[in-house]
Amino acid sequence: MTESAENMPRQAGLAALVSFFTRVAPGRWLALMLLALHAAVVFDADVAVTRAFLLAHYGLFLLWQPLVRSEARIEPRLALPVFAMAALLVLVDSTWVMALWLAILAGLVGAVAASQNARSQRLAYLLALAYLLALLLAWVLPQSLGGAGLPDALQAAVRYGLPLLPLTILFLPVSRQRGASSTLDFIYGLMLSLLIMVMALGAFAVVAVAGVSYAWALVQTLLGMAALLLTLSWLWNPRAGFAGLGQLTSRYLLSVGLPFEGWAQRLATLAERERDPESFVRDALADLHELTWIHGGSWQAARGEGRFGEPAEHAITHAFHGLSLTWQSARPLTPALALHVRLLSQLLGYFYAAKVREQTLREQAYSQAIHDTGARLTHDVKNILQSLKTLLAAADMSTPEDSERLLELMKRQLPQLATRLSQTVDKLKQPAEMDVAHMPAQAWWTALQARYEHDDVQFFAGALDDALLPQDLFDSVADNLLTNALRKRQAEPGVAVEVRLALHPLVSLTVTDSGAPAPEHVARNLFLSPVASDFGLGVGLYQAARQAARTGYRLELPDNQAGRVGFRLQATERSPSP
């Protein structure tokens, strides 16, 4: 209990110290790191003092470094290079080790500077980069060459004037946000480090070979590097018709090991020829025999799986749009080849997803065709059943004196019902021939009046000539509209229903009732999609509207107000000929 009580203040103090370190802005650590480096490199001191400053510099570097977040745990295998670099920097007294460390540090600072958005933050890192370059070129490199060429004025400027840059960074308003490793431009930092190393080695080589002064060797090296960079920049994106190194590099990355354009063209051709998604993937992967760096692999989808080529030791897996691809190679893939494999996998996944959607649309279209045919035939059967119920109701209410009238009614109605039922069965056998039969307008109008002569429906028609009407369309629309209108009488007794047929100037059939109007949301979607219905499937008028559109007619609701609800079936301007 006593040891626990003694450890509690220590743990609290350690937690407070860690909290303090995490609150310090990275720019402050950067400035202190550079000041410690300056004290260790520039000022002449004992070996113990110099190593102490170098150790403090490296510790401050660990507090500033943007590669690993401060809250992340470091594995032992990753901590070993950290201690090894610290031992090399502190224990080995060599100007070339220091020059290498300054080049690496300058590349890392440059990478962080390239990822900064705020002006003050970018300025701080640019000042740090300028300090590191000045320390390397004006002090460390001349020291490696013997230091004979360093004038006293330059030594004083480096010794006492160069620390002004870290001091400026120390008092700049910098952000406390730490850069994550994913935001660093490592390629930029690597290129900057290599450029600094080439410059240092170039100056050393010119001094060693030509025997000139360090300043003149540095000027020659800078001029040579500037000429080389200028030439490379012109070759990267020239203006004289040459494609340029940039396009050649991009083309190589996209087509490394495989003629990408040819394979993409064959893939598109295969997509047009093959309808099954799994067969398409199998044939596309079998066509990758030109990939010499890929030995084989496997693929897996929702409806199938398979293998291609031969198994190998190393594998890489990508999954796009429900298609999982595993590529196997004899050796680990380079970053360029890994990017290429990812691009191929993504392209194949997009094509596979398109084939799956195409197959789904075909299945939905097939199901929709079955549903449309079944719904239309169901409504036809329902209308025929309604007519039979009307006849049965007339027979139940008839008296012995009405037997003769009832017999005449049965003789007129039953043959028509039998004909309509036979037509419905024929439609079920040959759905493609629906809406083909035509009937004279006068005959159809007479048959319609006979079917609804006991339902108190008023019929009005203009002059009827020998014009032909699509029988199936007019029967389906008239039965649907009259059935809906007569159903209103069950809730609203006394609803008047009237039917009008006109052949000029355009053929039109209008059914009007004096009942309640349809709700706005129902009227808006009445002919566009199925609607909820308490008495049927809710697709009667929707199917009738689609049937009318296929036949050259238009079903609409011109009147929808209390006391007058009117539906109209009208031919379009280009009225179809029989």
Side-chain angles (χ1 to χ4, degrees):
M1 182 66 67
T2 305
E3 293 181 0
S4 176
E6 293 178 354
N7 290 333
M8 289 181 61
R10 298 177 183 176
Q11 295 178 356
L14 183 60
L17 183 61
V18 171
S19 177
F20 170 75
F21 282 162
T22 57
R23 289 198 302 268
V24 177
R28 307 288 187 256
W29 295 128
L30 176 63
L32 294 176
M33 175 187 72
L34 297 180
L35 290 174
L37 177 65
H38 190 83
V41 174
V42 176
F43 293 103
D44 297 329
D46 295 337
V47 176
V49 177
T50 301
R51 290 178 177 177
F53 275 112
L54 284 177
L55 190 60
H57 159 74
Y58 196 73
L60 293 170
F61 165 76
L62 294 179
L63 292 174
W64 165 79
Q65 56 83 28
L67 299 176
V68 181
R69 293 183 179 273
S70 58
E71 64 271 12
R73 296 179 62 89
I74 301 179
E75 300 179 2
R77 63 184 182 88
L78 297 179
L80 182 61
V82 175
F83 292 111
M85 189 64 197
L88 181 65
L89 187 63
V90 173
L91 299 179
V92 178
D93 187 12
S94 173
T95 55
W96 288 109
V97 173
M98 182 57 62
L100 177 63
W101 172 248
L102 290 177
I104 296 174
L105 197 58
L108 189 58
V109 170
V112 177
S115 64
Q116 299 298 323
N117 295 324
R119 180 178 300 179
S120 60
Q121 298 177 19
R122 189 182 300 112
L123 178 60
Y125 286 104
L126 290 178
L127 290 176
L129 181 60
Y131 170 82
L132 293 172
L133 290 176
L135 183 63
L136 175 64
L137 298 178
W139 189 269
V140 176
L141 283 182
Q143 292 291 335
S144 66
L145 297 175
L150 277 178
D152 295 337
L154 180 59
Q155 292 186 15
V158 172
R159 192 185 301 271
Y160 302 108
L162 205 55
L164 294 178
L165 296 178
L167 290 175
T168 304
I169 298 173
L170 189 62
F171 294 102
L172 279 177
V174 294
S175 173
R176 291 173 47 212
Q177 183 179 2
R178 292 184 173 268
S181 59
S182 59
T183 61
L184 292 180
D185 193 344
F186 285 103
I187 300 299
Y188 179 84
L190 179 62
M191 294 300 295
L192 183 58
S193 295
L194 293 178
L195 190 64
I196 294 174
M197 293 178 188
V198 169
M199 180 176 60
L201 293 176
F204 177 79
V206 171
V207 171
V209 173
V212 297
S213 64
Y214 169 74
W216 180 237
L218 185 60
V219 170
Q220 290 182 353
T221 304
L222 291 177
L223 289 177
M225 293 182 61
L228 179 62
L229 292 177
L230 181 62
T231 304
L232 288 177
S233 65
W234 181 82
L235 291 176
W236 188 264
N237 188 19
R239 301 179 182 272
F242 174 57
L245 295 179
Q247 293 188 16
L248 291 178
T249 304
S250 301
R251 187 178 303 172
Y252 172 77
L253 291 177
L254 290 177
S255 302
V256 55
L258 174 70
F260 184 77
E261 294 84 356
W263 183 77
Q265 185 177 2
R266 292 194 300 271
L267 193 66
T269 304
L270 181 62
E272 295 178 358
R273 185 177 70 249
E274 184 61 55
R275 300 179 63 181
D276 181 64
E278 283 69 27
S279 300
F280 164 76
V281 174
R282 187 180 300 108
D283 295 343
L285 292 175
D287 197 27
L288 290 178
H289 57 275
E290 298 182 8
L291 279 174
T292 57
W293 40 274
I294 289 294
H295 283 207
S298 61
W299 61 274
Q300 186 175 5
R303 300 184 181 181
E305 59 183 13
R307 303 189 62 87
F308 62 96
E310 299 177 357
E313 181 179 357
H314 300 277
I316 182 172
T317 302
H318 294 292
F320 293 101
H321 304 285
L323 177 64
S324 177
L325 291 165
T326 300
W327 308 84
Q328 297 177 347
S329 59
R331 294 184 299 273
L333 298 179
T334 62
L337 293 179
L339 178 64
H340 194 66
V341 165
R342 179 181 177 86
L343 178 61
L344 295 179
S345 304
Q346 195 166 6
L347 183 61
L348 193 58
Y350 282 142
F351 273 97
Y352 174 77
K355 302 303 293 183
V356 170
R357 287 194 295 267
E358 181 182 345
Q359 186 180 41
T360 303
L361 289 177
R362 286 198 305 267
E363 295 173 354
Q364 291 178 352
Y366 182 74
S367 301
Q368 185 66 29
I370 296 176
H371 177 270
D372 291 349
T373 303
R376 290 182 57 185
L377 298 182
T378 300
H379 277 82
D380 290 344
V381 173
K382 185 187 71 173
N383 293 331
I384 295 173
L385 182 61
Q386 182 68 27
S387 300
L388 287 175
K389 288 181 178 180
T390 302
L391 290 178
L392 292 176
D396 290 339
M397 292 184 298
S398 64
T399 60
E401 293 79 7
D402 297 333
S403 57
E404 231 177 273
R405 285 183 52 201
L406 180 61
L407 183 59
E408 289 294 330
L409 178 63
M410 293 294 182
K411 288 181 178 180
R412 288 196 308 268
Q413 294 289 339
L414 290 179
Q416 293 185 12
L417 294 178
T419 302
R420 293 176 60 192
L421 188 59
S422 177
Q423 292 175 353
T424 302
V425 175
D426 292 339
K427 294 175 189 176
L428 185 61
K429 294 178 180 179
Q430 297 177 339
E433 298 183 3
M434 300 171 70
D435 308 328
V436 174
H438 287 72
M439 186 176 185
Q442 182 62 56
W444 180 85
W445 183 249
T446 302
L448 180 66
Q449 288 178 309
R451 289 204 303 270
Y452 292 94
E453 62 179 340
H454 294 284
D455 292 314
D456 192 18
V457 177
Q458 300 180 4
F459 294 90
F460 303 93
L464 302 180
D465 48 25
D466 296 334
L468 298 179
L469 304 178
Q471 180 182 358
D472 185 73
L473 171 64
F474 273 69
D475 281 341
S476 177
V477 171
D479 288 338
N480 272 291
L481 296 180
L482 287 173
T483 300
N484 293 336
L486 292 175
R487 188 176 291 121
K488 288 185 179 181
R489 288 182 178 173
Q490 300 176 4
E492 306 174 41
V495 171
V497 181
E498 64 178 40
V499 182
R500 296 181 180 272
L501 177 63
L503 302 181
H504 303 284
L506 296 175
V507 178
S508 65
L509 175 69
T510 305
V511 177
T512 308
D513 65 77
S514 60
E520 181 180 356
H521 67 281
V522 174
R524 185 170 57 250
N525 300 313
L526 201 55
F527 309 116
L528 302 177
S529 62
V531 296
S533 174
D534 296 331
F535 302 96
L537 301 178
V539 295
L541 294 180
Y542 168 65
Q543 295 291 342
R546 297 186 59 185
Q547 183 182 3
R550 288 195 300 266
T551 316
Y553 284 77
R554 181 176 63 253
L555 183 60
E556 54 188 0
L557 179 62
D559 294 324
N560 187 34
Q561 52 187 345
R564 184 172 180 82
V565 180
F567 290 86
R568 181 172 60 203
L569 175 66
Q570 187 174 23
T572 58
E573 294 182 1
R574 298 176 59 184
S575 182
S577 57

